[in-house]
Short mmCIF file of all heavy atoms in Angstrom, two decimals:
data_model
loop_
_atom_site.label_atom_id
_atom_site.label_comp_id
_atom_site.label_asym_id
_atom_site.label_seq_id
_atom_site.Cartn_x
_atom_site.Cartn_y
_atom_site.Cartn_z
N ARG A 253 68.77 49.55 56.57
CA ARG A 253 70.06 48.88 56.77
C ARG A 253 71.09 49.99 56.94
O ARG A 253 71.05 50.99 56.23
CB ARG A 253 70.40 48.02 55.56
CG ARG A 253 69.38 46.91 55.32
CD ARG A 253 70.08 45.58 55.24
NE ARG A 253 69.15 44.55 54.75
CZ ARG A 253 68.76 43.54 55.54
NH1 ARG A 253 69.16 43.46 56.78
NH2 ARG A 253 67.95 42.63 55.04
N LEU A 254 72.01 49.77 57.85
CA LEU A 254 73.02 50.78 58.15
C LEU A 254 74.40 50.36 57.68
O LEU A 254 74.71 49.17 57.63
CB LEU A 254 73.07 51.02 59.67
CG LEU A 254 71.75 51.39 60.35
CD1 LEU A 254 71.94 51.52 61.85
CD2 LEU A 254 71.19 52.68 59.77
N ASP A 255 75.24 51.35 57.36
CA ASP A 255 76.63 51.06 57.04
C ASP A 255 77.40 50.95 58.38
O ASP A 255 76.82 51.13 59.45
CB ASP A 255 77.22 52.11 56.10
CG ASP A 255 77.43 53.48 56.74
OD1 ASP A 255 77.34 53.61 57.96
OD2 ASP A 255 77.68 54.44 55.98
N PRO A 256 78.70 50.61 58.36
CA PRO A 256 79.44 50.40 59.59
C PRO A 256 79.51 51.64 60.51
O PRO A 256 79.70 51.52 61.71
CB PRO A 256 80.85 50.03 59.10
CG PRO A 256 80.62 49.41 57.78
CD PRO A 256 79.46 50.15 57.17
N LEU A 257 79.29 52.83 59.95
CA LEU A 257 79.29 54.06 60.77
C LEU A 257 77.91 54.44 61.31
O LEU A 257 77.76 55.44 61.99
CB LEU A 257 79.88 55.23 59.97
CG LEU A 257 81.34 55.09 59.60
CD1 LEU A 257 81.79 56.28 58.73
CD2 LEU A 257 82.21 55.02 60.85
N GLY A 258 76.92 53.64 60.95
CA GLY A 258 75.57 53.89 61.44
C GLY A 258 74.71 54.78 60.54
O GLY A 258 73.64 55.24 60.96
N TYR A 259 75.18 55.03 59.33
CA TYR A 259 74.39 55.83 58.38
C TYR A 259 73.46 54.93 57.56
O TYR A 259 73.85 53.80 57.21
CB TYR A 259 75.29 56.62 57.42
CG TYR A 259 76.10 57.69 58.13
CD1 TYR A 259 77.46 57.52 58.33
CD2 TYR A 259 75.49 58.86 58.59
CE1 TYR A 259 78.22 58.50 58.97
CE2 TYR A 259 76.23 59.83 59.25
CZ TYR A 259 77.59 59.63 59.42
OH TYR A 259 78.32 60.61 60.07
N VAL A 260 72.29 55.44 57.22
CA VAL A 260 71.34 54.66 56.42
C VAL A 260 71.89 54.48 55.02
O VAL A 260 72.21 55.47 54.34
CB VAL A 260 69.98 55.37 56.36
CG1 VAL A 260 69.03 54.67 55.40
CG2 VAL A 260 69.34 55.43 57.77
N ASN A 261 72.03 53.25 54.57
CA ASN A 261 72.42 53.04 53.17
C ASN A 261 71.35 52.32 52.35
O ASN A 261 71.43 52.27 51.14
CB ASN A 261 73.78 52.34 53.04
CG ASN A 261 73.83 50.98 53.66
OD1 ASN A 261 72.81 50.42 54.05
ND2 ASN A 261 75.01 50.41 53.76
N GLU A 262 70.33 51.77 53.03
CA GLU A 262 69.21 51.16 52.34
C GLU A 262 67.92 51.31 53.14
O GLU A 262 67.95 51.30 54.38
CB GLU A 262 69.42 49.66 52.09
CG GLU A 262 70.50 49.33 51.09
CD GLU A 262 70.63 47.85 50.85
OE1 GLU A 262 70.74 47.10 51.84
OE2 GLU A 262 70.55 47.43 49.68
N VAL A 263 66.81 51.46 52.42
CA VAL A 263 65.49 51.55 53.04
C VAL A 263 64.65 50.43 52.44
O VAL A 263 64.65 50.22 51.23
CB VAL A 263 64.81 52.93 52.72
CG1 VAL A 263 63.43 53.00 53.32
CG2 VAL A 263 65.71 54.07 53.20
N GLY A 264 63.95 49.69 53.30
CA GLY A 264 63.12 48.59 52.86
C GLY A 264 61.68 49.01 52.64
O GLY A 264 61.04 49.52 53.57
N LEU A 265 61.17 48.81 51.42
CA LEU A 265 59.79 49.18 51.11
C LEU A 265 59.05 47.96 50.61
O LEU A 265 59.56 47.18 49.81
CB LEU A 265 59.76 50.25 50.03
CG LEU A 265 60.50 51.56 50.36
CD1 LEU A 265 60.44 52.51 49.15
CD2 LEU A 265 59.91 52.23 51.60
N LEU A 266 57.82 47.79 51.08
CA LEU A 266 56.97 46.73 50.62
C LEU A 266 56.23 47.20 49.37
O LEU A 266 55.80 48.34 49.27
CB LEU A 266 55.97 46.35 51.70
CG LEU A 266 56.58 45.77 52.96
CD1 LEU A 266 55.61 45.81 54.12
CD2 LEU A 266 57.06 44.36 52.71
N LEU A 267 56.11 46.31 48.38
CA LEU A 267 55.35 46.59 47.18
C LEU A 267 54.13 45.70 47.17
O LEU A 267 54.23 44.47 47.38
CB LEU A 267 56.19 46.30 45.92
CG LEU A 267 55.52 46.56 44.58
CD1 LEU A 267 55.28 48.07 44.38
CD2 LEU A 267 56.38 46.01 43.44
N GLN A 268 52.95 46.30 46.96
CA GLN A 268 51.74 45.49 46.95
C GLN A 268 50.72 46.12 46.02
O GLN A 268 50.91 47.26 45.57
CB GLN A 268 51.15 45.38 48.37
CG GLN A 268 50.87 46.70 49.02
CD GLN A 268 50.64 46.54 50.49
OE1 GLN A 268 51.59 46.37 51.24
NE2 GLN A 268 49.41 46.60 50.92
#
Side-chain angles (χ1 to χ4, degrees):
R253 299 233 190 248
L254 305 177
D255 70 12
L257 294 176
Y259 293 108
V260 173
N261 62 9
E262 290 183 309
V263 179
L265 301 177
L266 296 163
L267 180 68
Q268 58 194 76

